[in-house]
Amino acid sequence: MDGLTYSTLRLREQGGAWFVQLHRPEAGNALNTAMVRELTDVLFRAAASPATVLVLEGLPEVFCFGADFGAIADAARAGGPTAADPEPLFELLRQLAYTDLLTVAHVRGRANAGGVGIVAACDIVIADEGATFSLSELLFGLIPAVVLPFLIRRTGFQHAHYLAGTTQTVDAERARAWGLVDACGADSEALLRAHLKRLTRLSKPAVARYKAYLRQLSPMPEQTKSAALATNREVFEDPMNVRAIQRYAEEGLFPWETAPQPNPPEPGTGTASATTGTSVPAPFTPEELGSPRFRAAHGVTRAYVAGAMYKGIASVELVTAMGRAGMLAFLGTGGLSPRAVDEALGRIREELDEGQPYGANLLSAPQDPELETRLVELYLDHGVRCVEASAYIQPSLPLVRYRLAGLSRGEDGEVRERHRVIAKVSRTEVAERFLRPAPPELVRRLLDAGHITPDQADLARRIPLASDLCVEADSAGHTDAQNAYVLMPAMSELRDRVTREEGYAEPVLLGAAGGIGTPQAALAAFMLGADFVVTGSVNQCTVEAGTSDAVKDILQDLGVHDTDYAPAGDMFEVGARMQVARKGLLFPARAQKLYELYLRHDSLDDLDARTRATLEHKYFGRPLDTVWQETRAHLARRFPDRLAEIERNPKQKMAQVFRWYFVHSTRLALAGRPEHKVDYQIHCGPALGAFNAWVRGTPLASWRQRHVTAVADHLMRETAALLGRTLGARTSTSHDTAK
């Protein structure tokens, strides 16, 4: 370490460890280009040295404040570029996480924004009991895009979501409970010394091999990096955000604050705060959240949607209750027969008045295109005005037919859209297919078949295939486990680009789904640019949900960590995953075991006697030969053309037998059979655990008091109130958070 000097760091070596102190006291230890560059250089030098440990420390009152707003304000005044390249910071955090050293963050005082990213990337975090942690970016229209991948890796999605969405400060003890901090106490120096006694005894080769293995266990995909960098550049180049940063740096005022005025504000502009001199906006209402265009297009009072849940869990009762309240819900048609869907739609039409909103799910079924065709015909017959298109990778002929069959030309020559499609997407390449007009080859086929008119075929070129996109982050059931904080901005940029390229008069509306179970989560979605929000898991635990009381009893007691990922039965062979409840249940582990057996063996005959006995007695409750006979009878009815091929292929036959367990476990849950409770398959995301915690001690703690409209009303009212508090009554609290 001899001869190493840096402008933003102080270095020392002691007992086999390098100690690096962030040292910009004049700027609150804010990150600038020099500090990022120097930290990266120190990391590479330390990794090449005999040292096994690198300790990062800040100042006693502040660890690191995050981005240097003063430098951004100076650049704005000078007319230069205000957005620093975020890639060096991302690579610094990745190096902290994966370098051939054990990195330790010793946190005293405040860690905010990028400072939290440094903490989250370190292997071990030791904090003084007075340390605090916050993400203040959203207050300025920014997004902690580079920080979140590393924070989620440490704390899990919901805790990171809470920090970013609420911008609130948490203390060291709560940070320890969430996993951001590993140890905290009144004497953090003593804690650090105790840890270093053990860490510095480790050999360099052992640490290097260990960290190399960790890189394989928990990699940081390039896709994550690309999304983080693109989002960071976008928000830091936004002129409105730059103005907000400059104003805060120069005047100490947040975007919603006004300078003290000698005269009272004009009537109707809000109320003046006697303590701060700021203008406090009038309270928000649930009806003001989201996009007015969404509310008008769907004839709803609120920009809130109850998404479909398969097998009729999103039931007739749920859909009609929401419709009578002026809100949109989708009938869960996945897994239902056309006859059952026909009957359900008939009941909905009887229950709802003309104009009251409702919709139905349309699940992609490439293995059974006739089913999809039949459903679309039912929707056209019943006059369904909106469908939720789920699990699509490519647009299908029936889906395009539904969309185009509702087109007409107004007297002004503009396109009139009777049928709206809300496409649920989690990947940008899929989203783009829905943002573009319907594929011309499908339009030609529909025209040739007489399913659409020449005028409708002509109008198809002027509108996107989807009228709305529901951007689905990590959610219940089938999931790509995507991160809303990087996904929403990427989808927004894509939507805006396609709108320009196609020359649309108005952009497609964006909704947010996945993880929404609290006001903080809903507000974060709206602040990320969502025109509407879509809930799922929270509605499964309501009076109207079409599942068993036994399942609802389980769901109302779940916490945020009581879900897990399991193989999806309908896409078993390709290894698709879904999120399910795991508390007190064996389904996730048993489903995973079946998938592992499928990967390792070529046929049922390859299974050893012990494994076969376990499957028959504990998983299936009957001989595998009996399961095959039941499965064969089903295939003969539904897919007779595929049966011979499956019977010739032992591995396909094994997959079909294993799939039986997934169908069986769903039936057990829907029926609520208590003797088979451990095998219940319950699709659920951690949003429900967050909701349960939020309503604990209130009447909504019991699912028997949770009517789906009460859940919607409570969420939207409290989200509106939270927005008001954030922008008004809690100005002083927010100010303290962001300093």
Side-chain angles (χ1 to χ4, degrees):
M1 191 182 291
D2 292 343
L4 295 182
T5 58
Y6 297 98
S7 63
T8 67
L9 308 176
R10 298 290 184 269
L11 272 64
R12 62 187 173 92
E13 186 176 8
Q14 180 180 326
W18 283 34
F19 289 78
V20 181
Q21 183 188 41
L22 312 181
H23 196 267
R24 294 192 69 214
E26 76 285 356
N29 265 9
L31 287 165
N32 63 1
T33 302
M35 181 179 281
V36 172
R37 182 179 63 249
E38 291 179 355
L39 275 172
T40 302
D41 184 71
V42 167
L43 272 172
F44 278 106
R45 290 176 182 272
S49 78
T52 57
V53 181
L54 182 141
V55 179
L56 276 175
E57 299 176 295
L59 302 171
E61 66 280 2
V62 59
F63 176 79
C64 176
F65 181 67
D68 190 341
F69 277 15
I72 295 173
D74 291 343
R77 281 194 301 272
T82 56
D85 181 6
E87 186 168 12
L89 177 59
F90 188 96
E91 289 303 324
L92 168 63
L93 300 186
R94 181 147 62 179
Q95 188 71 6
L96 282 169
Y98 298 127
T99 189
D100 293 343
L101 293 161
L102 288 169
T103 53
V104 180
H106 178 208
V107 185
R108 297 165 295 171
R110 301 174 63 86
N112 178 63
V116 171
I118 291 175
V119 171
C122 286
D123 295 309
I124 298 167
V125 179
I126 296 168
D128 183 83
E129 66 179 4
T132 61
F133 304 83
S134 58
L135 295 177
S136 62
E137 284 89 342
L138 276 176
L139 294 171
F140 301 92
L142 307 172
I143 295 171
V146 172
V147 171
L148 280 168
F150 297 89
L151 183 60
I152 290 170
R153 172 177 170 267
R154 231 187 190 277
T155 68
F157 180 87
Q158 185 59 34
H159 291 144
H161 181 18
Y162 182 89
L163 273 173
T166 67
T167 72
Q168 292 196 42
T169 299
V170 299
D171 60 21
E173 185 54 39
R174 178 175 281 192
R176 186 197 61 77
W178 288 358
L180 178 56
V181 169
D182 297 302
C184 64
D187 189 351
S188 60
E189 295 278 4
L191 276 175
L192 177 62
R193 287 194 299 271
H195 278 76
L196 290 177
K197 282 182 180 179
R198 302 185 69 88
L199 297 177
T200 53
R201 292 172 182 167
L202 304 175
S203 73
K204 184 76 172 189
V207 169
R209 292 191 187 103
Y210 172 65
K211 292 297 290 288
Y213 180 56
L214 287 185
R215 287 195 290 273
Q216 298 178 51
L217 291 181
S218 178
M220 191 62 65
E222 286 302 309
Q223 178 186 2
T224 298
K225 175 182 175 180
S226 298
L229 299 188
T231 301
N232 182 281
R233 292 182 180 115
E234 178 183 5
V235 297
F236 274 92
E237 290 170 356
D238 187 324
M240 183 178 297
N241 296 345
V242 172
R243 286 195 296 272
I245 292 170
Q246 184 177 1
R247 188 165 180 259
Y248 181 78
E250 295 174 352
E251 303 175 41
L253 295 175
F254 287 93
W256 60 89
E257 289 183 310
T258 59
Q261 300 177 7
N263 299 316
E266 292 294 323
T269 62
T271 59
S273 166
T275 57
T276 66
T278 63
S279 175
V280 180
F284 289 89
T285 67
E287 291 74 20
E288 293 177 293
L289 297 171
S291 166
R293 190 156 64 88
F294 178 86
R295 297 193 296 272
H298 291 275
V300 295
T301 58
R302 297 177 182 180
Y304 178 101
V305 176
M309 294 175 285
Y310 79 141
K311 288 283 187 181
I313 295 174
S315 63
V316 170
E317 291 76 14
L318 188 151
V319 171
T320 55
M322 289 288 285
R324 284 192 292 269
M327 289 180 283
L328 179 63
F330 289 100
L331 178 70
T333 61
L336 298 183
S337 68
R339 176 179 293 182
V341 174
D342 190 18
E343 293 174 355
L345 291 174
R347 290 174 54 201
I348 291 172
R349 293 176 65 189
E350 290 175 0
E351 291 284 336
L352 294 180
D353 295 334
E354 183 67 29
Q356 289 182 323
Y358 76 95
N361 177 251
L362 184 63
L363 186 65
S364 175
Q367 77 286 355
D368 191 3
E370 287 302 315
L371 174 61
E372 195 178 336
T373 298
R374 181 72 182 110
L375 287 178
V376 165
E377 289 173 347
L378 284 174
Y379 298 163
L380 296 175
D381 290 343
H382 282 277
V384 175
R385 299 286 298 273
C386 185
V387 300
E388 179 193 70
S390 304
Y392 282 88
I393 297 175
Q394 298 281 354
S396 69
L397 194 67
L399 176 62
V400 174
R401 177 186 175 186
Y402 172 82
R403 174 70 161 143
L404 301 190
L407 298 183
S408 62
R409 195 183 302 270
E411 293 182 0
D412 56 0
E414 293 301 309
V415 182
R416 299 288 185 265
E417 305 172 29
R418 181 175 175 81
H419 297 159
R420 298 188 71 86
V421 171
I422 298 182
K424 296 183 78 171
V425 295
S426 58
R427 302 186 66 85
T428 51
E429 66 269 21
V430 176
E432 184 162 1
R433 295 172 188 134
F434 281 97
L435 290 168
R436 301 288 182 183
E441 64 274 15
L442 297 186
V443 177
R444 283 194 299 271
R445 288 174 60 186
L446 290 170
L447 182 60
D448 293 343
H451 291 313
I452 60 173
T453 67
D455 196 43
Q456 288 170 334
D458 180 59
L459 294 174
R461 297 177 298 173
R462 297 169 53 184
I463 64 163
L465 178 56
S467 48
D468 313 90
L469 280 185
C470 174
V471 180
E472 190 170 22
D474 195 23
S475 62
H478 297 78
T479 178
D480 282 339
Q482 294 293 315
N483 180 344
Y485 293 106
V486 294
L487 192 59
M488 280 294 294
M491 291 290 190
S492 180
E493 187 281 330
L494 172 66
R495 184 267 313 269
D496 294 344
R497 174 171 61 81
V498 173
T499 298
R500 292 191 299 270
E501 291 174 358
E502 297 290 348
Y504 297 144
E506 293 180 318
V508 168
L509 297 169
L510 293 184
I516 298 176
T518 61
Q520 293 88 347
L523 181 56
F526 285 123
M527 295 188 76
L528 282 169
D531 297 301
F532 60 99
V533 293
V534 181
T535 56
S537 295
V538 296
N539 302 318
Q540 188 175 191
C541 192
T542 61
V543 173
E544 294 83 4
T547 191
S548 65
D549 290 358
V551 165
K552 296 175 189 179
D553 288 339
I554 293 170
L555 291 173
Q556 77 173 15
D557 293 328
L558 292 188
V560 294
H561 300 297
D562 292 332
T563 62
D564 203 352
Y565 298 93
D570 57 345
M571 292 185 281
F572 183 78
E573 296 93 325
V574 298
R577 309 283 284 177
M578 59 185 177
Q579 191 162 198
V580 295
R582 68 176 173 88
K583 184 179 181 181
L585 305 175
L586 295 179
F587 170 79
R590 289 181 171 178
Q592 181 61 33
K593 179 64 175 180
L594 289 173
Y595 183 63
E596 291 170 359
L597 290 173
Y598 170 77
L599 292 178
R600 291 204 304 265
H601 300 284
D602 293 325
S603 74
L604 293 172
D605 294 334
D606 289 348
L607 301 176
D608 62 80
R610 184 176 179 180
T611 298
R612 189 181 186 99
T614 298
L615 296 183
E616 292 183 337
H617 292 103
K618 293 186 177 181
Y619 288 41
F620 296 90
R622 64 203 69 190
L624 294 185
D625 290 341
T626 301
V627 174
W628 167 243
Q629 291 306 318
E630 292 183 22
T631 302
R632 187 185 187 285
H634 167 75
L635 293 171
R637 289 193 307 271
R638 290 292 307 279
F639 309 107
D641 54 328
R642 294 171 51 195
L643 181 57
E645 177 189 348
I646 292 171
E647 289 189 306
R648 286 193 301 268
N649 188 321
K651 195 170 183 77
Q652 284 193 40
K653 177 180 175 180
M654 178 173 60
Q656 292 296 328
V657 169
F658 287 173
R659 279 183 171 210
W660 180 95
Y661 175 72
F662 292 83
V663 176
H664 180 61
S665 59
T666 297
R667 290 172 178 163
L668 293 174
L670 293 175
R673 294 177 58 181
E675 69 275 19
H676 296 288
K677 176 181 175 181
V678 294
D679 286 304
Y680 288 178
Q681 180 184 165
I682 307 171
H683 294 184
C684 185
L688 180 58
F691 181 87
N692 289 338
W694 175 48
V695 300
R696 187 175 295 124
T698 75
L700 290 179
S702 169
W703 70 260
R704 290 169 174 82
Q705 301 298 319
R706 295 184 192 177
H707 292 277
V708 67
T709 53
V711 169
D713 184 70
H714 199 47
L715 267 173
M716 292 294 277
R717 284 189 181 279
E718 290 303 312
T719 301
L722 178 61
L723 176 60
R725 291 194 299 270
T726 301
L727 298 183
R730 289 192 175 180
T731 297
S732 59
T733 303
S734 300
H735 192 284
D736 182 64
T737 299
K739 277 187 176 178

